[in-house]
Amino acid sequence: MNKTLLFAILLFSVFNLKAQDAALAPDQNPRYKESLDKYVASKDELQKTNNTTVQDTYKAYDWYQAKMDRRQDRINYRRQMNLYRRNNYYPYDNYYNGYDHYRNNNYRYNNRGNNNRHYNYQPGCSSPFGNWFYWFW
Amino acid sequence: MKSIFTLSFFSAFLLLASCSRNVTRIDPAETPDIAGTWNNTDSRLTAEQMISDALTADWLSNHVQAKTKKPVVIVGMVTNKSHEHIEAETFMKDLERSFITTSKVGLVQSGKKREELRAEKADQQTNASASTMKKFGLENGADYILQGSINSIVDAHKRKKTVTYQVDLELTNIQTNEVVWIGDKKIAKYVKN
């Protein structure tokens, strides 16, 4: 009885192995299923960019364009300063792009001294006449 | 008095006319270079080069000889690694259209359009009549995948600039991973501001 059972199990194993071999294409890697399982799980994510252009651009340095950008920055800066002058609006909180306002812009230097008596540019100074302290300077 | 009025009226008319926008229709095949960036002409030249290369290269005859049927291609991803925003679809569509119009290469849908097709098929499973319902699992499998990249080199000093674009398309056998064709197009420009 035991011998018959053992023979049957052996026969089943041999047939099973044969069946697996038959499923493989000639010269196919027998471990192909490991890779298959890995890629079937992530195929949707991997195929998301099919038939599209993935924009992986870089910023090229262009001397002339950089010059134009610096010029535009200066214009924007002056515009913001004018706004500040009119509305006592202080622009520094959300403006900095690498341009040295103090060194390259004469605005600050041209508006020191007596000008401060009548119009003060200090942030947080809500008086339309500036800081009252400078009235007695 | 009347003459002054007429003169001022015509002056105002001329001033307004000079400020209005003027649009002229041009031939898409003769788009002029304006800013020096990637434009329609570059896309067209790339498409023409790729089409002539792809349809005359050996991979096509080799495939037909080995399989006795035309190859089926799926379009994969194109990566734009240049310094400008370039949409590859403009020249990729020209290439795809040439595959179909010449009937030398079969094309299967990919990406979002394929997802839409499958969604439609799924919808038909419950809504279409049994005789017109399309079945799952009967799509054509592609033999090759078409992938590509766009690169650029910029050399600029003061008001002078040279830009070189290189567009590469690769056709790879999906079964064997063998690259069977590489098409490339180089475009160089000299820009003086």
Side-chain angles (χ1 to χ4, degrees), chain A residues 6-95:
Chain A
L6 198 69
F7 182 71
I9 290 168
L10 197 71
L11 208 65
F12 177 75
S13 307
V14 168
F15 273 122
N16 200 19
L17 278 173
K18 282 272 179 196
Q20 272 187 359
D21 282 348
L24 286 173
D27 205 28
Q28 189 175 13
N29 191 321
R31 291 175 62 187
Y32 78 94
K33 193 129 190 350
E34 292 170 30
S35 182
L36 177 71
D37 292 343
K38 179 186 166 188
Y39 284 98
V40 162
S42 57
K43 74 178 174 63
D44 287 342
E45 186 61 32
L46 294 170
Q47 288 182 331
K48 220 161 54 176
T49 52
N50 269 16
N51 214 348
T52 60
T53 312
V54 175
Q55 302 292 338
D56 185 17
T57 54
Y58 69 97
K59 184 167 170 54
Y61 181 76
D62 183 340
W63 189 92
Y64 186 68
Q65 188 59 46
K67 188 182 169 187
M68 291 292 113
D69 289 347
R70 282 197 300 272
R71 189 178 169 191
Q72 191 58 46
D73 285 349
R74 280 197 297 276
I75 291 167
N76 291 343
Y77 175 70
R78 284 189 200 119
R79 192 170 291 149
Q80 285 204 321
M81 284 311 288
N82 284 338
L83 263 176
Y84 162 66
R85 240 190 324 197
R86 285 185 201 135
N87 307 327
N88 203 16
Y89 164 74
Y90 191 65
Y92 294 115
D93 291 344
N94 55 6
Y95 179 76

Side-chain angles (χ1 to χ4, degrees), chain B residues 11 15 25 37-38 58 71 78 80 83 93-94 100 105-106 108 125 131 151 155 158 163 168:
Chain B
S11 304
L15 195 71
R25 301 245 168 213
T37 53
W38 180 270
D58 288 342
V78 177
N80 173 21
H83 67 292
K93 280 291 162 205
D94 289 345
I100 294 165
V105 179
V108 288
Q125 308 306 306
S131 60
N151 288 282
D155 184 15
K158 296 207 170 171
V163 186
D168 290 295

Side-chain angles (χ1 to χ4, degrees), chain A residues 62-66 68, chain B residues 34-36 156-162 190-193:
Chain A
D62 183 340
W63 189 92
Y64 186 68
Q65 188 59 46
M68 291 292 113
Chain B
I34 294 170
H157 183 62
K158 296 207 170 171
R159 286 167 179 268
K160 296 172 186 169
K161 181 168 76 167
T162 60
Y190 174 68
V191 182
K192 192 170 181 296
N193 287 302

Side-chain angles (χ1 to χ4, degrees), chain B residues 96-115:
Chain B
E96 289 173 42
R97 194 168 54 248
S98 77
F99 285 168
I100 294 165
T101 52
T102 58
S103 302
K104 287 181 176 175
V105 179
L107 197 68
V108 288
Q109 200 61 268
S110 62
K112 282 184 179 169
K113 286 176 182 165
R114 186 171 67 177
E115 290 298 306

